[in-house]
Amino acid sequence: MVEQAHAGQKPQPGGPLGEVGALVDGGDMDCGSGLLLLITRAMRRLEAGQLLGVRSAEVSVVTDLPAWADLIGHEVVTEVAESADGPWWFAVRKAGRPAAAVTVFTPGERMPVGRRLWIYTNFDCNLACAYCCAESSPKAAARRFGTDLATEVFGEFTAQGGREVLFTGGEPFMHPELGALIAAADGLERTVLTNGMIFGKGTRRETLENLDRDVVLQISLDSATPEVHDRQRGAGSWNRAVDGITLARSLGFRVRVAATLYDEDPQGVEALHHRLDAAGIAMPDRIIRPVAHEGFADKGVHVSLEGLEPEPTLTADGAWWHPVAVTDPHMRIADAPLPLSEVFGVVRDTLAVQDAAAQSGREVFRCA
């Protein structure tokens, strides 16, 4: 098995390390980004005592990989450099009982992994927002999440104690089987993130009206007046979003309103709160969040594996650390959405290492 960071890399089965149980080619990734997820996933698939081969062209890995192994309880048994400037090859023997897996942490510090799951229903959208982290637009490939896959996912999610699922996109109401996807998650807390613009007519109106009323609709509204919202999302989008909020509430849905802002101008935020007060949107149903420097955004908050709390996210073709990072190859957990046990397991193992590093005062995962 070869885990690769970049398409086109085809290292020999172990290179200068000889035979190994699995080989991870991390390219120029460091331990603060995608390499940590790759080696964690690969190590989970090995038996105790087997060797994991790691190839890296990133010099920081020479220091960080042994530190990672030491925290877990694994052993780096071989390190070979092709030249003084790399790349470097490592053979790491899997521990019988990883140390980080038995570390005791203070409960309540974060949402338990496996309680919440995000689903990208599709990636096509009627808008091309300037800050879209998913790079969705009318021209984007749909990459639709299938109903059979959803049934399998939610069955496993429920069996593992899952409680909440959030459907996002793209624009979910452009998925022709959105109603069936949501119905497949019956019994879970369900929220659909939407721009609120296209569910007012035709078959999409039928989909909306047929949804259970315990489904929550989270509708995007970036400002109290059209200026900021339309600048970020497109001319006329503010009026249609407001109409969508009004329609959804008139049909008996609980509506949350989410604003995404480059600069959280206090006066603009205050004005938005006043408008939502007048609309009857309760304070707990209001979300104001910054733009993440991902996808289409040319600025915003930097996100990384080290600084971003995990929100496991599934697409039709993989699993990711967080919904804002589905265009970042460094944040990819797996190349397929199932099995969920592996997706959640990689996240838990990664958090255990991060927590162990923090408790020991060691800086292992440098992101810059």
Side-chain angles (χ1 to χ4, degrees):
M1 177 186 67
V2 177
E3 300 276 0
Q4 293 176 275
H6 305 288
Q9 294 177 337
K10 296 182 179 178
Q12 298 176 355
L17 302 175
E19 290 300 321
V20 294
L23 176 64
V24 168
D25 190 335
D28 58 0
M29 291 181 175
D30 61 21
C31 286
S33 57
L35 181 59
L36 177 60
L37 293 177
L38 284 175
I39 60 179
T40 299
R41 180 175 66 185
M43 192 63 89
R44 286 180 58 84
R45 297 174 179 177
L46 298 181
E47 300 294 332
Q50 283 190 290
L51 292 178
L52 173 66
V54 180
R55 178 188 180 276
S56 176
E58 166 56 45
V59 65
S60 68
V61 174
V62 175
T63 300
D64 291 348
L65 187 73
W68 164 79
D70 183 55
L71 282 168
I72 299 293
H74 303 317
E75 179 187 5
V76 177
V77 296
T78 307
E79 178 182 331
V80 179
E82 291 186 12
S83 72
D85 299 323
W88 294 268
W89 297 75
F90 305 86
V92 186
R93 190 181 307 282
K94 182 173 182 177
R97 185 179 184 185
V102 297
T103 306
V104 178
F105 307 109
T106 303
E109 291 182 350
R110 61 170 66 99
M111 177 177 292
V113 175
R115 174 175 174 173
R116 173 185 288 174
L117 183 67
W118 288 78
I119 302 291
Y120 267 82
T121 59
N122 57 295
F123 282 82
D124 51 334
C125 187
N126 57 304
L127 299 177
C129 300
Y131 54 69
C132 182
C133 63
E135 298 182 350
S136 293
S137 75
K139 297 180 180 180
R143 294 166 59 195
R144 291 175 181 143
F145 208 90
T147 53
D148 290 343
L149 175 60
T151 299
E152 191 172 355
V153 164
F154 296 137
E156 185 175 341
F157 183 53
T158 301
Q160 294 185 28
R163 293 179 54 184
E164 179 182 10
V165 61
L166 298 99
F167 299 89
T168 188
E171 169 49 50
F173 278 88
M174 291 182 70
H175 193 306
E177 297 181 291
L178 178 64
L181 289 180
I182 296 171
D186 186 34
L188 298 166
E189 299 173 28
R190 298 170 291 178
T191 300
V192 181
L193 281 68
T194 172
N195 57 43
M197 295 175 59
I198 64 170
F199 55 43
K201 298 179 180 179
T203 57
R204 291 163 180 161
R205 174 68 176 259
E206 292 178 13
T207 297
L208 176 67
E209 292 186 349
N210 287 334
L211 293 179
D212 295 335
R213 291 308 187 265
D214 61 355
V215 173
V216 177
L217 299 178
Q218 181 172 306
I219 299 177
S220 300
L221 191 70
D222 291 345
S223 55
T225 57
E227 181 183 5
V228 172
H229 183 99
D230 284 5
R231 184 171 67 243
Q232 297 184 161
R233 292 176 167 266
S237 58
W238 185 89
N239 283 321
R240 293 179 67 185
V242 169
D243 289 345
I245 292 170
T246 301
L247 172 61
R249 298 190 75 226
S250 73
L251 292 174
F253 289 98
R254 177 183 174 185
V255 173
R256 294 189 186 125
V257 173
T260 306
L261 302 173
Y262 279 101
D263 300 303
E264 294 187 15
D265 171 42
Q267 291 184 334
V269 171
E270 183 178 2
L272 178 59
H273 279 304
H274 284 319
R275 181 166 196 95
L276 297 179
D277 284 341
I281 304 296
M283 189 63 72
D285 288 332
R286 307 176 191 182
I287 302 146
I288 297 176
R289 58 200 177 192
V291 172
H293 192 184
E294 294 284 335
F296 288 153
D298 57 7
K299 60 180 179 179
V301 176
H302 171 69
V303 297
S304 69
L305 190 66
E306 183 182 33
L308 196 62
E309 287 289 323
E311 294 269 1
T313 301
L314 303 185
T315 69
D317 46 18
W320 307 81
W321 186 262
H322 196 281
V324 305
V326 293
T327 59
D328 186 344
H330 292 186
M331 306 286 265
R332 190 177 189 126
I333 297 171
D335 298 328
L338 289 171
L340 274 184
S341 56
E342 178 173 86
V343 172
F344 293 150
V346 170
V347 174
R348 292 186 183 104
D349 286 356
T350 303
L351 289 175
V353 175
Q354 291 177 337
D355 289 339
Q359 290 182 2
S360 68
R362 303 174 74 167
E363 184 177 342
V364 179
F365 312 115
R366 293 169 287 186
C367 298

